[in-house]
Amino acid sequence: MVADAYQHPGSSATLVGRGAELERIIDALESAKGATPSTLLVEGTPGIGKTALLDVACELAHERGFVVCRAKASLMEREMPFAVVQQLFDHLRDELPHCRNGKATPHEYDLIAGHLTAEVDDFDELQVHRAIRDLYRLTAEFAQCAPLCLVIDDVQWTDVPSLRWLNYLVHRVVKLPIVMLMTRTPGIRPTDSLLIAELEIYAERMKLAFFTAQNVVLLTERMLGRTPDEKFAQAFLDATGGCPTVTRHILGVMRERSIPPDENVANDLLRPECEKLGQSLLARLNRQSPELVELAKAIAVVEPADLTLLTAVMDISNGEAADRVQQLEGMGVLTPEGELTFAHRVIKNTIESAIGYREREELHAEAARFLHHTRAPALLVARHVLRTPSRLGAWAVQALRTAADTVIAEGDARFGAQLLARALDEELSVTQRKDLLLRLGLAETYFDPRMAVVHLEEGMIGLDDPEEILAAACQLAEILYFDGAYDSASEVLHRTITEIGPKIPAAVDVVRLLERITVPSRDPRAVQVDLRRFDEQEWRRGDEHGRRLAGLIAEDTSNRGVDLAQCRKAALAALSGGTTAILQHPQRMFGVLNALLRADEAELAVRHCDEILLEAHRQGLTLIVLLGHSLRSRAHHHRGSFTEAAADAELALSAARTAKLPADHLGHVYAVDAWVRAQLALGHLDATEKALQPFGRSRELPLSWHHTALLHARGALRMELGDCEGALADQLECGERFLAWGRGSPAVRPWRSFAALAHFRLGQPKPALDLALQELKLAREWGAPTVIGRALLTVGIVTGGAAAAPWLNEADSVLRRSSARMLRAQVLLELAATRWEKGQREAARQHLAEAKALGQQCGVIVEPGKRLAGSTSDGRPRTPVPHPVEPTHVVPPAPRLGALALTPHECRVATLVLEGNSNDEVGHKLNVSRRTVEFHLTNIYRKLGVRRRTQLSSALAGFIPRR
């Protein structure tokens, strides 16, 4: 078996990645020695190494006693009769040994030589036919003296008489030791298409592939004498496209300059070396025709999809353009598929390096004008307008604005901002400029909040439309919220109420609700909003206004711990626009997903985080990536998946470092909070302490939402470190802030439970029990199982003894309906200890086994503790408490909760399926592919918890009307 890296003895050339091809060539040579002829046709793009493979094949044939006859066809000689045959037989007399009968080279050779050297005008059809027959007879006689290996490079340019002889030979060569090796570049128009096609029928075709990463590693080892790492191989592969010629050239430069195989070296060398590699290419193009160079430049700049745009930009006829394109394909400059793309980016880079700035600018301007006049899509026009600073007029502004709206709606805010910034360079009216500034500010929200503030404030000056004022103010307040500029956000919202109040009275409550969520006010009664004034049909109607209002309602109800059912419905309505819509509003995304977590919808929150992160990573939206990982970490923590929670928190911190956020920025602080919670759950106290060092172990933290959440986490750490007084101080400070700001829900942060445990450890049972019972009351009013279960656990712990059992049993019952596995494990551990102390050993062991199993699922080792080892009361004073007589009302999931999670497009697909349409019919009606329909149906089934389309009717009953 031939190795994947082959080097012939005595030669410095190394052939890599051609093991299979060499194996087949060797088999053909060995078979030919046994009088079984073969014809092999090697195909591949220019620069892929066809000639290098032939070089090695010739060496292998010489080693096996073959007489090698080699020729290279060319464009220059394709009109010369028998030009290729002449090359094959020119040196045959010297190569051929004496025949077995002792005679010299057959005497007919002199006669054939006369055929080959005849004048072109002397060849008629009879003469050609006689020459072909005589050449075949001569070849057969030679083959009887010694095995022959006939090698022809670039067979597509072979002259017609030589092609006819080759076909004659292939058809008639039987039981002769002859191997024919040929190479061809696919797509190039051959000298005679029919003769080449006939030759292909009787040939075995081998198509060469580009290099893989493993091939790059092997060739680097052979040429540089060092084994590179995987990162270098992949980077090199990305830079060169796996083109063997380019790869060898770059490695050769590295060898000459003693450059080690580092990760970035390929890209560093590629651009300067491209110019050297491309000089011969440009020279060849120019020799062929200067017009070819101009056409190649236009293709490199304009990147036309078809000849129509190319002919308009070049101002030439369609036929002339097609002929030039065909020539470039034949020379290996363009791919032979007719797609007007370069065969390799090295070639494109070379062409681009020869284009001047002014020439490039004018080509883009001409392309934009032509596309505008032909009513091409706005995005296509805008891409060319973006690349020229020339002022093109009102039509260019319209194209840029329309294209920006499209790409921003699809989630590409960065590109949308580029288009809008370019539109601001045109001559604009005051109204147009304000509109573009507002749009630009909204786009910049996702990746450059500070510039977004500048552009939004500038665009709002003198704005008259109340709807536009409202939208801009809400977005500006969100940005200021993330930047911690609460006073500025409050000022913007109060100014907005003053401006739009008389014009849109209904919008005043929306702004006040936004203020209550955004600005931590010491007097929450100053911002009174009655949610009953909002019509549910209004915030569930699925448009942008409805989703915005639904998001505010979801976050507000979860903050205050009221109406869990409404919170769930509002959160899902806010998410009904899909990932792209929610990405445009980071504060809404953050608030809505938090609301889902507080409503015990952790699984749904994880799924939405997955989709958000996928899209945010694709678009490079660092802030969204950071928030997405922080939120997913919280969701994993809620479910007891602490290892996954720690991994997401680490990714959030990495995103904060990448964005170079200050230590007090909301995104960074929430990432630290997620990290601390996950590490505490895993028992990694040293890592937790280190993360909190910048904020101080006892230092007062700023009065912001995010620092207050971190205050709760810091208190939990201090409790684990044995600093119960410090823990109590942090938890009470956290609670005081949240209560003052109107966030009394225990679902926001269970500070009362943590403070109660701190009181209890300090030997203060009365305040501990008061706080625990207070939290239990609020938790029952909210109705989420996890919140109720935690409160019941706290009451059971501070109650202690036999009186704890009813509370703990109820907690276990409630948490069976929750995804909070580790919280339930803690309840079971307390129950086990209580049973053990009462002498109920078997029940205690069952609870302990179940707690250990849950802990194992969460990646945490559950320790039995001293109480289960036989110790009794710890001596702390107990306060008598009543048995739980109030029933626990856990709010069940809203009916058809999954249906509310469907996006509008998924609703349309579901409606058509319910009407009896097949997948193909649905795709036709929605103008999408069958695969897209299947993708949406998969998501619909997942959200509804069904497995087949026949179950859709019952799952969506009453939600989607059937006709």
Side-chain angles (χ1 to χ4, degrees):
M1 185 174 184
V2 179
D4 209 31
Y6 176 86
Q7 184 169 357
H8 191 270
S11 172
S12 60
T14 301
L15 197 63
V16 170
R18 301 293 180 246
E21 290 80 5
L22 287 176
E23 194 80 38
R24 180 65 192 95
I25 291 171
I26 291 172
D27 288 345
L29 293 172
E30 294 296 336
S31 297
K33 290 172 68 176
T36 301
S38 297
T39 302
L40 304 180
L41 179 61
V42 180
E43 296 182 328
T45 59
I48 204 167
K50 299 187 295 293
T51 302
L53 181 63
L54 289 189
D55 292 341
V56 175
C58 291
E59 293 172 352
L60 294 172
H62 273 300
E63 289 177 351
R64 287 161 175 76
F66 278 75
V67 173
V68 179
C69 303
R70 187 166 182 176
K72 182 174 179 63
S74 70
L75 285 167
M76 299 289 292
E77 295 182 336
R78 62 181 178 178
E79 300 301 328
M80 297 177 60
F82 294 111
V84 168
V85 175
Q86 180 72 53
Q87 290 185 59
L88 288 174
F89 286 90
D90 260 350
H91 304 292
L92 188 60
R93 188 190 299 268
D94 298 330
E95 290 280 347
L96 192 69
H98 289 292
C99 294
R100 287 190 301 269
N101 58 10
K103 294 182 180 178
T105 304
H107 68 278
E108 287 91 347
Y109 182 82
D110 294 332
L111 177 63
I112 300 304
H115 286 313
L116 302 180
T117 57
E119 294 293 332
V120 175
D121 294 338
D122 294 340
F123 281 96
D124 56 20
E125 183 61 28
L126 182 61
Q127 178 90 4
V128 170
H129 182 73
R130 185 181 297 116
I132 289 172
R133 186 186 57 197
D134 291 344
L135 282 168
Y136 166 72
R137 188 168 57 249
L138 178 62
T139 304
E141 290 186 17
F142 281 159
Q144 291 173 358
C145 295
L148 292 181
C149 181
L150 306 180
V151 181
I152 304 171
D153 208 354
D154 288 331
V155 72
Q156 72 273 0
W157 286 324
T158 302
D159 60 277
V160 171
S162 293
L163 279 175
R164 290 177 62 183
W165 171 74
L166 283 172
N167 276 299
Y168 191 91
L169 179 64
V170 168
H171 287 162
R172 286 164 178 76
V173 61
V174 179
K175 294 185 179 181
L176 287 176
I178 296 178
V179 173
M180 297 176 63
L181 298 177
M182 297 170 284
T183 68
R184 182 192 173 194
T185 302
I188 295 180
R189 184 173 54 194
T191 307
D192 191 301
S193 300
L194 292 178
L195 289 173
I196 288 290
E198 186 178 354
L199 190 62
E200 287 177 345
I201 292 173
Y202 293 93
E204 180 181 340
R205 299 164 71 175
M206 298 187 297
K207 189 170 184 179
L208 299 186
F210 285 101
F211 277 173
T212 63
Q214 183 182 4
N215 300 149
V216 171
V217 171
L218 288 171
L219 190 58
T220 305
E221 289 175 346
R222 294 301 181 98
M223 294 186 68
L224 303 185
R226 295 180 58 176
T227 301
D229 58 21
E230 293 181 4
K231 289 184 178 179
F232 168 82
Q234 191 57 51
F236 205 99
L237 199 66
D238 294 340
T240 62
C243 178
T245 300
V246 179
T247 301
R248 291 178 188 278
H249 179 82
I250 300 296
L251 287 175
V253 173
M254 292 172 64
R255 181 171 56 189
E256 291 172 7
R257 302 179 188 176
S258 300
I259 298 174
D262 293 331
E263 182 178 351
N264 298 320
V265 71
N267 278 315
D268 293 342
L269 285 175
L270 190 60
R271 182 162 289 279
E273 290 302 321
C274 276
E275 297 182 9
K276 297 179 182 179
L277 282 169
Q279 293 305 316
S280 60
L281 171 64
L282 286 175
R284 280 191 295 156
L285 281 178
N286 200 52
R287 281 199 304 270
Q288 185 78 11
S289 168
E291 289 79 10
L292 287 181
V293 176
E294 297 304 313
L295 189 79
K297 287 181 180 180
I299 294 173
V301 172
V302 178
E303 299 178 343
D306 52 41
L307 286 176
T308 306
L309 177 58
L310 186 61
T311 55
V313 172
M314 294 293 296
D315 194 23
I316 57 178
S317 68
N318 195 71
E320 190 176 359
D323 183 63
R324 294 183 191 177
V325 166
Q326 197 170 35
Q327 292 182 64
L328 290 175
E329 290 175 351
M331 298 179 73
V333 177
L334 300 178
T335 56
E337 288 83 10
E339 296 178 355
L340 299 179
T341 55
F342 289 92
H344 188 268
R345 69 172 175 143
V346 169
I347 298 174
K348 184 180 180 182
N349 291 344
T350 301
I351 300 295
E352 286 184 329
S353 67
I355 304 172
Y357 175 78
R358 188 73 63 183
E359 185 179 8
R360 184 188 305 273
E361 175 188 325
E362 187 55 38
L363 283 169
H364 281 301
E366 285 298 324
R369 292 188 189 98
F370 174 77
L371 291 169
H372 166 66
H373 289 307
T374 55
R375 300 183 182 277
L379 184 56
L380 194 58
V381 178
R383 288 184 184 276
H384 290 287
V385 176
L386 185 63
R387 297 178 184 180
T388 174
S390 303
R391 291 189 172 184
L392 302 177
W395 62 268
V397 175
Q398 184 59 39
L400 289 164
R401 176 180 159 174
T402 303
D405 289 345
T406 300
V407 298
I408 291 172
E410 293 174 352
D412 195 348
R414 287 180 182 272
F415 185 45
Q418 291 177 19
L419 295 169
L420 293 167
R422 169 62 182 86
L424 286 168
D425 293 335
E426 296 285 338
E427 293 184 4
L428 303 166
S429 65
V430 175
T431 303
Q432 284 178 317
R433 178 166 293 277
K434 288 185 180 298
D435 175 68
L436 290 172
L437 284 169
L438 289 173
R439 292 171 182 272
L440 177 58
L442 293 175
E444 289 171 333
T445 300
Y446 321 126
F447 60 89
D448 193 351
R450 286 181 170 80
M451 284 308 299
V453 170
V454 172
H455 288 131
L456 285 171
E457 288 180 338
E458 185 180 352
M460 288 178 70
I461 297 173
L463 204 61
D464 296 325
D465 188 332
E467 289 288 349
E468 291 182 353
I469 294 173
L470 177 62
C474 290
Q475 196 74 32
L476 185 54
E478 287 188 16
I479 301 168
L480 295 169
Y481 160 81
F482 274 101
D483 210 28
Y486 298 132
D487 292 340
S488 298
S490 181
E491 180 184 344
V492 168
L493 294 174
H494 281 288
R495 187 172 66 239
T496 302
I497 290 174
T498 302
E499 291 182 22
I500 70 172
K503 302 174 183 176
I504 318 178
V508 173
D509 282 337
V510 175
V511 178
R512 285 178 177 162
L513 184 56
L514 177 60
E515 183 182 9
R516 185 158 77 182
I517 291 169
T518 303
V519 182
S521 170
R522 281 294 180 181
D523 184 11
R525 292 172 299 180
V527 187
Q528 291 293 330
V529 183
D530 187 356
L531 296 184
R532 291 174 298 182
R533 297 178 61 178
F534 298 115
D535 183 7
E536 183 172 336
Q537 295 301 319
E538 180 183 4
W539 54 261
R540 284 185 58 181
R541 62 189 183 190
D543 61 358
E544 173 54 30
H545 171 75
R547 290 195 297 268
R548 178 175 62 203
L549 182 55
L552 295 175
I553 291 172
E555 186 172 5
D556 185 65
T557 51
S558 70
N559 284 344
R560 295 185 296 115
V562 297
D563 203 341
L564 176 58
Q566 185 182 43
C567 173
R568 283 170 169 157
K569 289 190 291 185
L572 293 172
L575 293 166
S576 63
T579 302
T580 302
I582 202 70
L583 281 181
Q584 299 178 31
H585 303 279
Q587 184 186 6
R588 186 193 308 170
M589 177 193 81
F590 197 72
V592 169
L593 291 179
N594 263 329
L596 282 179
L597 288 175
R598 296 165 187 172
D600 264 3
E601 296 292 346
E603 297 289 346
L604 188 58
V606 168
R607 290 203 296 268
H608 279 289
C609 285
D610 290 343
E611 295 177 8
I612 286 167
L613 284 169
L614 184 66
E615 189 65 20
H617 278 294
R618 185 186 70 79
Q619 298 177 32
L621 304 179
T622 305
L623 178 61
I624 304 298
V625 168
L626 190 161
L627 295 176
H629 281 300
S630 295
L631 288 164
R632 194 165 69 179
S633 176
R634 290 186 183 184
H636 284 314
H637 184 279
H638 184 99
R639 299 162 62 230
S641 303
F642 300 130
T643 303
E644 290 86 346
D648 266 313
E650 177 61 37
L651 290 170
L653 287 170
S654 176
R657 289 190 291 269
T658 300
K660 298 179 180 179
L661 296 180
D664 286 341
H665 188 275
L666 176 146
H668 180 262
V669 173
Y670 273 132
V672 172
D673 173 62
W675 171 260
V676 168
R677 286 156 56 95
Q679 295 301 322
L680 271 178
L682 292 169
H684 301 158
L685 300 185
D686 291 341
T688 307
E689 268 197 291
K690 185 177 179 181
L692 285 172
Q693 277 179 356
F695 303 94
R697 183 165 174 175
S698 58
R699 194 180 71 195
E700 184 177 354
L701 297 181
L703 291 171
S704 69
W705 299 120
H706 44 288
H707 283 99
T708 303
L710 190 63
L711 191 64
H712 170 72
R714 189 178 74 178
L717 171 63
R718 296 174 79 173
M719 176 80 82
E720 291 297 323
L721 294 173
D723 180 12
C724 296
E725 290 183 355
L728 180 60
D730 278 348
Q731 298 299 344
L732 292 178
E733 172 65 18
C734 173
E736 182 183 341
R737 293 184 184 189
F738 280 141
L739 288 174
W741 296 336
R743 294 194 175 189
S745 171
V748 176
R749 282 292 190 276
W751 62 269
R752 296 177 187 84
S753 284
F754 281 76
L757 294 175
H759 273 304
F760 180 67
R761 291 189 182 184
L762 289 169
Q764 301 166 359
K766 181 64 168 66
L769 187 58
D770 289 343
L771 279 172
L773 290 173
Q774 184 184 359
E775 175 139 313
L776 179 57
K777 179 177 180 296
L778 294 171
R780 281 177 166 153
E781 289 175 358
W782 176 235
T786 300
V787 182
I788 297 173
R790 180 179 294 280
L792 286 166
L793 171 62
T794 306
V795 174
I797 291 173
V798 299
T799 300
W807 304 102
L808 297 174
N809 281 323
E810 185 180 357
D812 179 39
S813 175
V814 168
L815 289 173
R816 289 178 185 274
R817 286 167 280 178
S818 166
S819 59
R821 294 171 295 177
M822 198 58 210
L823 183 59
R824 181 164 174 254
Q826 293 170 3
V827 171
L828 289 168
L829 197 60
E830 285 294 325
L831 263 176
T834 302
R835 300 291 190 199
W836 186 271
E837 290 169 353
K838 292 174 65 177
Q840 300 172 355
R841 302 300 174 89
E842 187 59 34
R845 289 191 184 97
Q846 290 178 2
H847 289 319
L848 180 58
E850 197 171 355
K852 285 184 174 181
L854 287 171
Q856 189 174 13
Q857 293 175 21
C858 300
V860 177
I861 299 174
V862 174
E863 298 290 349
K866 292 182 180 179
R867 292 174 64 194
L868 283 169
S871 63
T872 56
S873 173
D874 55 9
R876 293 193 179 97
R878 306 289 181 183
T879 299
V881 292
H883 284 258
V885 293
E886 180 183 357
T888 298
H889 295 291
V890 176
V891 177
R896 295 181 301 281
L897 185 61
L900 293 171
L902 299 184
T903 66
H905 198 79
E906 289 168 348
C907 287
R908 288 193 290 272
V909 172
T911 301
L912 290 171
V913 170
L914 288 175
E915 291 173 359
N917 294 286
S918 67
N919 289 356
D920 289 330
E921 290 169 337
V922 173
H924 178 72
K925 291 182 179 181
L926 295 179
N927 196 27
V928 297
S929 67
R930 176 189 175 90
R931 186 175 179 182
T932 301
V933 174
E934 291 170 349
F935 172 78
H936 285 303
L937 277 175
T938 300
N939 286 336
I940 292 168
Y941 294 162
R942 172 176 54 81
K943 291 179 180 180
L944 297 177
V946 301
R947 295 186 177 182
R948 56 185 67 90
R949 65 200 301 134
T950 55
Q951 297 173 319
L952 283 178
S953 180
S954 58
L956 294 172
F959 184 79
I960 294 180
R962 298 189 63 179
R963 297 177 184 175

